[in-house]
Structures are given as structure tokens and as C-alpha cells.
Amino acid sequence: MILGKKNQEKKYVDKGKRLDGRKTDELRQIDIEVGVIDQADGSAFVQWGKNKVYAAVYGPKECLPRHTQNPLKAVLRYKYNMAPFSVSDRIRPGYSRRSVEISKVSRLALEKTLVLEDFPKTAIDVFVEIIQADAGSRAAGITAASVALADAGIPMTGLVSACAVGKAGGHIILDMTKEEEDAPDAIDLPVAYVPETGEFTLVQMDGELQRKDWDELIELAVKGCEMVGEKQRLALKKKYEGEVNE
Amino acid sequence: MNIVTPGELISEEQIKTNQGVFSRHGKFYSKFYGILNSRNDFTAVNALNGVYLPKREDVVICFVEDVKFSGVVADINSPYQAYMQTKDSRIRFEMHNVFAATVIDADSSQNILLDYPEKLTGGTVIRFPPLKIPRAIGRNASMVKMIKDLTGCKIIIGKNGRIWINGENQNLAKKAFEMISKQAHIPGLTERVRKSLEENNQN
């Protein structure tokens, strides 16, 4: 069903407020906890609105099979996986076309900031498990994985922050929910950004976009990523501050 | 205590740097999630977590992983395996033997050679975060000396994050090292460990 312009405005943004009461440039509630998995070398849990994401990092460790080793730097392996119960319809467990793609783009988004040359011939495993999903799970995954990599003591030139921007009902909005993503004219644009260097490490797009909206969307994405980056840094600092006060 | 995160700006002016700091466009940033340390005009970031990377002259505690004709392949709790050339390797070593050795060579492609083995029998080996080992040893070995005195145990600390303890009060020494590992970043540690050990000794 194609909605009229007036109806669209009414539905997705009404008097500057969205369906869940947020402003157009407001993120959902984000809580980041560091060091949640004892067995892992580094780990993080991110609750981003209704998204619940665990990230665990193992390594640097011996890279096996040996033909996958790189004699000059470490190999980063990233696995994004959704739990079968993470969405309203059960999804088939294991690899899917979508999870393989997200794993690859997320790995490339994180690789840029890691100093992998410090650990030749090794492998670093990153596992991201989506326990509950509600749009923007790849952004939440990258955010959690970046914090977990820092927690594992991997040398980095900056933390990677990610968030999604988009368009629903003709309005440019930050951090879309599933309901907004399902709008008939929706555009989804996940972005990963390094606030310290101002570099983009991931830009994907789903939907059709006019040139005039692009600058506004990217500007909003940078603003969102900077807010996420601030939360990542606070979460990392909080881990040890708590112990000092005990 | 000043905790920094990766990519955090440390200084906009020229400074003398040590490990854990990198420069970009004349500014200095942290490379690790760690503690910022400024001592003797040098600024460094000590990572709070990480793996052991072998350096020459490190004493390490190893497990025998394979016995070859002319030497032993050892697990040194690092992403890399080490090799030790010895005579009579098949007579002297068996699989899963524990020994302390010194790293005599570790090059940039991480070919690690060991020597001066000392076989360890009895006792237990505990794991300890490799980057916190300097705290377990203490300044001029003050910490480990104190633990040895108060527990009466034989202790060998491997730089690779393994500690070998042998003696009647093994559990007491283990508890002390657990405490060090949890509180390594908080000042005044030696006194706290001493107090805890003395309290335990009285009980």
C-alpha cells in the first residue's frame, strides 16, 4: 500500500517525535558492559534499545590451519551469528547468506584500526552473538566487538563506533527501529566510523536515496557515531573505576 | 590512576614516548586500553590485558608439547611455540613434562629458542595474567620474596604468565597471587598482600 505524503508524516514523525517518542536525531538507550565472559580474552555486552549483543574475543593465538597464516600480520576472523530465538519468527541456526556478508563487512570495518602487524602468524577470533534483534544489529555488533577487542589488549589506533541512519516517511532519522525500517519508502544506511581519526570504515545502503539527502544523512551518522564512541569509552573506563572504589 | 582507551589523545605537544603510544600528525595517542604512566620524562601506556610475547632472557615455564630427535617443542603460553635443542631429548623429556627455561632468541618472525632447562617435578603451575607479572615479582623482587618467606614455598615465576609453586602452603601462595592479579592496578599492593597472608597464617 502506498501512503500519501501527509499520512506518512503523521505515521513516522509527529510534531518532531517518532513512534517510540524519540527525536529524529536521538539514539535509543545504549548500555555497554565490558568483561562479561570470563573464558574470553576480551568481551562486551551491548544492549541497544531492544538489541542484545554479546561479543567475545579470543587471541592472538596460533593460526590454524597453517596455510591461512600471514607471515607479516595477524589474521582477524569475525563471526556474526543470530540466535534462532532472536527474532519473532525462528531463524535457522548456523551460517546464512546474510550472516556471512555481515561477518565480512564487519571484519573489514574493524581491521582498519587494529595494529595487526604486532602479531605475525597469529589469528584473532571475534564472535558476535545476537541474542535479541530489533534493527541495527550489525552496528551493535561492531560497537560491541570494538570494545571487546580493546578489552583483550589488542593494539588499536581508535575505537570503531557504528550506528544506522535512514529515512522513513520522508524524514531523515537516526538509529531506526524495526518498525521504521519496514516503512514503504525506508532507506537504511549503516555506518561505522572512527571518531578519533574521522575515517569511515563501513557505509552500506539499502533503498533509494536522492543526492540532496546524502550529506544530511552522513552528518547525522557522524553525530550518532560520536555519541556511541563516547559511551564505548565510558564503559571501558568504568570497568576498572568500580574496582578502585571498592 | 589514569585509564586511557585506544586512540585517546595523550599530548598535542612533542613528548618522549615509550611503549603503547603512537604519533599521528605531530600529536600523541594511546595504542592500548591501559594505564597512562609518566616516569622520568617518558610517557607510556601499559596495557591492562594481553598475551605474552617472548623476549630474550625471559625465564618461562613450559610444557613439553612434542619430543623430537634433537630437541623439544614447548608450549610457552604464547601464540607461538618454542623450540629447545638438547642432547638425549628422548631420554630426558616426556610429553607434558614441566620445565623452566630461558629464552635465548626471539626474532621478528617469532622463531623462539630456549635453553638452560630446569625440570620441575611436584608442585602446581598456576596461570597469571602475563602483563601483570612485574607486579607479582615486585620492585627488586620484594613481592615474591615476601610470599616465599611467609608461606615457605618454593616459587618460580615465568614471565609467560605461569607460576610454579611447591610446598606445604601452596594454597596460601595461590590466594596471594590471585589477589595480586585482581588488584595489580591499585597502589599499595605489597602491604595489602602482606596483611592478608599474615591474617591467614594466624588462622
Side-chain angles (χ1 to χ4, degrees):
Chain A
M1 188 181 75
I2 299 167
L3 298 170
K5 205 178 175 187
K6 273 190 179 173
N7 285 339
Q8 283 180 8
E9 274 176 26
K10 238 183 193 176
K11 197 171 177 192
Y12 294 101
V13 180
D14 189 20
K15 291 174 190 165
K17 296 258 171 156
R18 286 151 70 175
L19 295 172
D20 54 2
R22 279 185 292 154
K23 291 178 199 158
T24 52
D25 61 349
E26 198 178 332
L27 289 167
R28 286 174 275 182
Q29 170 80 24
I30 302 175
D31 295 314
I32 304 176
E33 206 178 322
V34 185
V36 286
I37 299 167
D38 286 345
Q39 284 88 343
D41 295 315
S43 59
F45 172 67
V46 171
Q47 181 149 9
W48 185 318
K50 286 179 192 165
N51 285 306
K52 288 181 185 170
V53 180
Y54 278 98
V57 173
Y58 295 81
K61 59 183 186 180
E62 196 180 355
C63 184
L64 295 170
R66 286 184 78 153
H67 67 85
T68 57
Q69 280 182 3
N70 185 334
L72 299 175
K73 61 177 190 174
V75 175
L76 182 69
R77 300 189 290 215
Y78 188 103
K79 192 184 172 198
Y80 167 99
N81 186 46
M82 282 176 99
F85 50 80
S86 61
V87 280
S88 51
D89 292 329
R90 177 186 183 272
I91 56 163
R92 205 183 128 104
Y95 284 106
S96 65
R97 210 175 69 152
R98 180 176 171 274
S99 75
V100 170
E101 180 221 306
I102 294 178
S103 298
K104 191 191 169 172
V105 294
S106 305
R107 174 171 60 78
L108 293 175
L110 292 168
E111 229 171 25
K112 177 80 184 159
T113 59
L114 300 177
V115 188
L116 296 172
E117 291 76 16
D118 284 7
F119 308 102
K121 299 187 201 170
T122 62
I124 300 168
D125 277 330
V126 182
F127 297 98
V128 170
E129 292 289 327
I130 312 292
I131 304 301
Q132 188 170 287
D134 178 46
S137 66
R138 83 186 65 191
I142 292 170
T143 303
S146 188
V147 173
L149 281 162
D151 184 37
I154 313 283
M156 302 161 93
T157 54
L159 289 168
V160 182
S161 314
C163 74
V165 282
K167 216 173 160 186
H171 292 272
I172 287 176
I173 50 178
L174 178 66
D175 190 18
M176 300 163 90
T177 58
K178 185 78 189 135
E179 209 176 346
E180 286 163 342
E181 243 181 30
D182 290 340
D185 66 337
I187 295 160
D188 182 24
L189 192 107
V191 169
Y193 177 77
V194 190
E196 286 88 358
T197 59
E199 286 173 308
F200 289 92
T201 58
L202 168 78
V203 178
Q204 286 187 299
M205 196 178 78
D206 185 19
E208 284 178 21
L209 181 69
Q210 284 177 325
R211 178 67 184 85
K212 65 179 167 56
D213 292 334
W214 175 259
D215 292 338
E216 203 178 329
L217 275 167
I218 289 295
E219 203 178 301
L220 192 60
V222 169
K223 192 179 161 192
C225 286
E226 275 168 357
M227 287 194 271
V228 174
E230 198 51 46
K231 299 213 175 206
Q232 286 174 306
R233 278 188 288 278
L234 280 177
L236 281 168
K237 293 195 173 182
K238 208 172 112 190
K239 182 185 173 186
Y240 283 92
E241 271 171 9
E243 284 178 21
V244 177
N245 296 333
E246 268 171 22
Chain B
M1 188 176 63
N2 194 355
I3 290 180
V4 287
T5 55
E8 196 170 314
L9 183 69
I10 291 174
S11 171
E12 291 192 2
E13 290 162 16
Q14 187 69 34
I15 49 169
K16 288 180 186 171
T17 60
N18 218 326
Q19 58 169 20
V21 181
F22 70 96
S23 71
R24 191 196 297 127
H25 307 310
K27 292 179 183 175
F28 292 84
Y29 302 86
S30 163
K31 194 171 159 186
F32 290 109
Y33 169 39
I35 298 170
L36 186 67
N37 238 326
S38 296
R39 203 172 284 168
N40 304 334
D41 292 346
F42 280 91
T43 305
V45 174
N46 297 334
L48 284 159
N49 199 357
V51 291
Y52 169 68
L53 292 178
K55 279 192 214 93
R56 209 176 274 189
E57 294 181 12
D58 278 357
V59 172
V60 290
I61 291 175
C62 326
F63 298 147
V64 175
E65 218 163 57
D66 199 1
V67 184
K68 305 264 186 197
F69 174 72
S70 60
V72 168
V73 179
D75 164 21
I76 54 163
N77 193 29
S78 163
Y80 310 101
Q81 280 181 334
Y83 186 73
M84 184 175 64
Q85 244 180 356
T86 52
K87 272 185 188 173
D88 312 326
S89 60
R90 290 191 173 160
I91 301 166
R92 289 171 66 194
F93 290 99
E94 279 176 26
M95 293 287 284
H96 310 305
N97 276 174
V98 183
F99 65 97
T102 308
V103 178
I104 56 164
D105 195 18
D107 60 17
S108 59
S109 56
Q110 302 295 350
N111 297 309
I112 297 143
L113 292 178
L114 303 173
D115 209 345
Y116 312 114
E118 186 191 329
K119 225 167 149 183
L120 304 173
T121 45
T124 49
V125 174
I126 60 165
R127 295 179 72 181
F128 193 88
L131 298 186
K132 294 177 184 169
I133 285 285
R135 294 292 269 167
I137 298 170
R139 197 167 288 176
N140 299 327
S142 57
M143 182 75 88
V144 66
K145 264 184 199 164
M146 183 193 73
I147 298 173
K148 274 181 187 172
D149 290 346
L150 290 175
T151 60
C153 291
K154 277 186 181 174
I155 296 171
I156 297 178
I157 296 186
K159 283 266 177 79
N160 57 339
R162 286 190 185 136
I163 300 173
W164 178 78
I165 308 169
N166 194 8
E168 275 184 12
N169 289 330
Q170 275 178 33
N171 286 336
L172 208 57
K174 257 191 219 175
K175 268 186 196 168
F177 284 116
E178 268 169 31
M179 187 176 167
I180 298 167
S181 133
K182 279 182 188 157
Q183 304 180 10
H185 55 286
I186 309 170
L189 187 61
T190 316
E191 275 315 302
R192 258 177 291 138
V193 174
R194 184 196 296 278
K195 259 188 197 171
S196 138
L197 279 175
E198 280 169 354
E199 274 169 24
N200 276 313
N201 268 343
Q202 281 166 7
N203 295 334

